Amino acid sequence: MDVIVEHKQLPSKDFEAAWDAIKLDASVKERLVAQAVLSLQMRQKFSFEQIPMHGLILMSGPPGTGKTTLARGLADRIAKVVGRAQYVQLDAHALGSSSLGKSQKEVSKIFSQTIPELAMSMPAIVLLDEVETLAADRQKMSLEANPIDAHRATDAALAGIDLLTRKHRNTLLIATTNYPKAVDRALLSRADWIEEIGPPGAEARKQIILEVLELLGREWPKVGHLRTHIAAFVAASEGMDGRRLRKALTSAGAISIETAKDLNKLTRENVLETLSQAAEQPDLVEAA
Ligand SMILES: Nc1ncnc2c1ncn2[C@@H]1O[C@H](COP(=O)(O)OP(=O)(O)O)[C@@H](O)[C@H]1O
Ligand SMILES: [Mg+2]
């Protein structure tokens, strides 16, 4: 299993689309970009002892709230501000689990050699998605339940992150987590900024719903006309995460085979019924 799962030149059109897809308060988005740009700049000018910035941004929140997508979009935005950059996505699971064949030595090499070499040509924005799988809180690991190797891999990864961010100031780490409580404290304390991403508020839900109706409306014009009922849809989707909301809106078309074949038959009631059903579904993702 490769530790680097994606390596890409930025800016990129795909990543730009990712940024636009996530509906979030504009000030939160701006804050994230500014934090990243500030960190890259500060770390060029000051020593770590003067201004202790690790260049680590953590996005925390429930599954389906757009963190991974936002992180990719953020990398694109940063690249646009600083000129150009590269995106490197690490597989936190492969890094943290020695059982997957990654020895402590290999983990160390990623941070001490592979990424620094990449970052010589241009800034490297590194995504550590679902970082809790890497740095599972060592305090919660019992030695019996977890082979000593798992601790070593985590230790190596944490030491690697520390080294990378202290020594190689042309890198920026973006980490995401669905379970902040499971993230090693040493990692949490290194984050320069932690952004809590929650389920979309009313305005964000409105934007998501309008976007989905507009997209479907390109194929089935009558779906587009359902936007007149936006207020009811926004109210019915309270508390839903962005992923579920997008899915539920689309699934409204499956209310009957006839509707599935021709979405022009979709009614306001169909949408409301599907939304209320989806809102009541147990959170299987959380339970897993
Ligand atoms: N705030 C949001 N606005 C728009 N779409 C969202 C939002 N949150 C989630 N989504 C949708 O859910 C999909 C999955 O999000 P993802 O980035 O994988 O979430 P997470 O990493 O938090 O689990 C996104 O690609 C997007 O379609
Ligand atoms: Mg994710």
Side-chain angles (χ1 to χ4, degrees), residues 186-208:
L187 188 87
L188 287 179
S189 76
R190 281 170 175 74
D192 301 324
W193 185 258
I194 300 180
E195 189 66 54
E196 301 276 350
I197 312 277
E203 180 53 37
R205 295 203 304 283
K206 183 176 170 189
Q207 287 180 35
I208 295 171

Side-chain angles (χ1 to χ4, degrees), residues 5 17 91 190 277:
V5 287
D91 183 338
R190 281 170 175 74
Q277 273 184 18

Side-chain angles (χ1 to χ4, degrees), residues 52-65:
M53 279 191 119
H54 277 90
L56 170 64
I57 295 176
L58 179 68
M59 295 191 210
S60 168
T65 50

Side-chain angles (χ1 to χ4, degrees), residues 213 216-217 219-226 229 233 249-250 252-272 274:
L213 293 179
L216 296 176
E219 286 291 322
W220 301 279
K222 285 193 180 157
V223 179
H225 301 158
L226 290 172
H229 309 296
F233 299 158
L249 280 170
T250 318
I255 202 95
S256 71
I257 295 174
E258 217 177 304
T259 317
K261 289 198 325 207
D262 177 10
L263 263 75
N264 278 322
K265 300 201 168 108
L266 189 69
T267 66
R268 170 185 187 271
E269 284 65 37
N270 297 158
V271 175
L272 287 175
T274 312

Side-chain angles (χ1 to χ4, degrees), residues 30-236:
E30 164 125 22
R31 169 95 224 183
L32 287 169
V33 180
Q35 179 68 38
V37 171
L38 179 83
S39 166
L40 278 172
Q41 190 185 202
M42 288 280 183
R43 286 156 70 236
Q44 298 292 339
K45 294 190 195 302
F46 301 101
S47 76
F48 188 83
E49 286 66 32
Q50 291 173 313
I51 307 273
M53 279 191 119
H54 277 90
L56 170 64
I57 295 176
L58 179 68
M59 295 191 210
S60 168
T65 50
K67 299 178 299 297
T68 305
T69 312
L70 194 64
R72 294 161 77 87
L74 176 59
D76 185 72
R77 276 295 151 128
I78 300 165
K80 282 183 182 133
V81 177
V82 302
R84 62 183 193 143
Q86 60 192 317
Y87 171 83
V88 182
Q89 184 169 348
L90 301 180
D91 183 338
H93 202 67
L95 271 179
S97 164
S98 53
S99 62
L100 294 170
K102 294 293 154 208
S103 68
Q104 193 181 347
K105 219 169 155 188
E106 285 174 285
V107 170
S108 299
K109 193 177 154 195
I110 297 283
F111 293 104
S112 65
Q113 194 182 327
T114 316
I115 296 174
E117 276 174 16
L118 290 174
M120 269 162 27
S121 58
M122 70 180 90
I125 301 164
V126 180
L127 175 63
L128 261 168
D129 203 22
E130 304 192 357
V131 71
E132 70 275 2
T133 60
L134 161 79
D137 194 341
R138 283 164 299 178
Q139 292 175 334
K140 287 189 192 131
M141 277 188 191
S142 87
L143 279 177
E144 284 162 292
N146 297 276
I148 194 85
D149 270 2
H151 291 254
R152 291 217 183 101
T154 302
D155 289 345
L158 286 174
I161 290 169
D162 215 32
L163 175 96
L164 182 74
T165 51
R166 274 171 187 263
K167 270 186 72 181
H168 303 283
R169 317 205 122 223
N170 215 16
T171 61
L172 193 80
L173 246 77
I174 305 173
T176 76
T177 182
N178 293 329
Y179 305 101
K181 289 201 176 102
V183 177
D184 192 285
R185 280 211 216 123
L187 188 87
L188 287 179
S189 76
R190 281 170 175 74
D192 301 324
W193 185 258
I194 300 180
E195 189 66 54
E196 301 276 350
I197 312 277
E203 180 53 37
R205 295 203 304 283
K206 183 176 170 189
Q207 287 180 35
I208 295 171
I209 296 165
L210 287 175
E211 188 178 281
V212 174
L213 293 179
E214 196 270 325
L215 286 169
L216 296 176
R218 289 182 199 169
E219 286 291 322
W220 301 279
K222 285 193 180 157
V223 179
H225 301 158
L226 290 172
R227 87 175 74 82
T228 50
H229 309 296
I230 184 72
F233 299 158
V234 169

